[in-house]
Amino acid sequence: MKFNNVFVVDDDKIYHFLIKKLLSSNNIEVSPFFFENGLEAIDGIKDKLDKGENPPDLILLDINMPVLDGWQFLEEYKKIKEYIKKEISIYIISSSDNSMDRNRAKEFEEEITNYYLKPMTSDAIKSIFAI
């Protein structure tokens, strides 16, 4: 699958920088949009839908964030998913290897494509973008 619009939802600015570096060093041509919490990202999706623009093809989602965390984002996403005319691939990218988080991810099987642990690596990015 070809990803063009990518939402990176994480409150860590260093992680934003790292993702930009990984994308460019692996020659991945995408337009990343960065959000610091789940609420900003949900609003970003709704905004694109309201304007008749394409929602993101891919979301890289952290779990632990202020305002709206990754789980709350997924709950909100479930509510608007029916209005989105395409499949959005959502990858959890978390520093949590906690079994509770991994089990909770199973509750969102229909929404979550995969679960990766931080730090992100070139291999992980390549597997997400199927290079």
Side-chain angles (χ1 to χ4, degrees):
M1 181 174 194
K2 175 89 173 87
F3 299 122
N4 294 313
N5 293 325
V6 176
F7 278 19
V8 178
V9 189
D10 195 305
D11 59 328
D12 182 348
K13 294 275 198 210
I14 295 165
Y15 175 74
H16 293 189
F17 177 77
L18 175 69
I19 289 293
K20 285 179 195 168
K21 282 284 180 217
L22 282 170
L23 292 171
S24 72
S25 67
N26 288 290
N27 297 316
I28 299 169
E29 301 281 325
V30 294
S31 306
F33 296 87
F34 294 91
F35 301 91
E36 292 189 27
N37 63 62
L39 182 60
E40 287 180 6
I42 285 289
D43 287 345
I45 293 170
K46 287 179 179 173
D47 188 50
K48 284 193 169 288
L49 293 174
D50 289 346
K51 291 178 177 171
E53 296 174 2
N54 271 332
D57 307 302
L58 170 69
I59 298 174
L60 302 178
L61 180 67
D62 187 23
I63 294 175
N64 299 310
M65 296 175 288
V67 188
L68 210 64
D69 68 21
W71 304 123
Q72 293 165 315
F73 168 88
L74 288 164
E75 290 292 349
E76 291 302 310
Y77 174 74
K78 274 180 152 178
K79 295 175 191 170
I80 63 169
K81 185 165 104 164
E82 65 185 90
Y83 304 106
I84 301 170
K85 305 264 186 285
K86 69 175 183 183
E87 192 71 30
I88 297 177
S89 298
I90 299 176
Y91 287 81
I92 299 272
I93 314 288
S94 176
S95 51
S96 171
D97 198 14
N98 181 324
S99 61
M100 274 177 51
D101 284 334
R102 286 198 173 269
N103 287 334
R104 189 154 181 205
K106 290 179 183 146
E107 295 172 25
F108 296 97
E109 277 179 335
E110 288 183 29
E111 289 75 33
I112 298 171
T113 306
N114 210 334
Y115 191 114
Y116 284 91
L117 285 176
K118 287 181 180 176
M120 279 302 278
T121 62
S122 273
D123 287 343
I125 280 286
K126 285 176 183 172
S127 70
I128 290 171
F129 287 89
I131 296 177

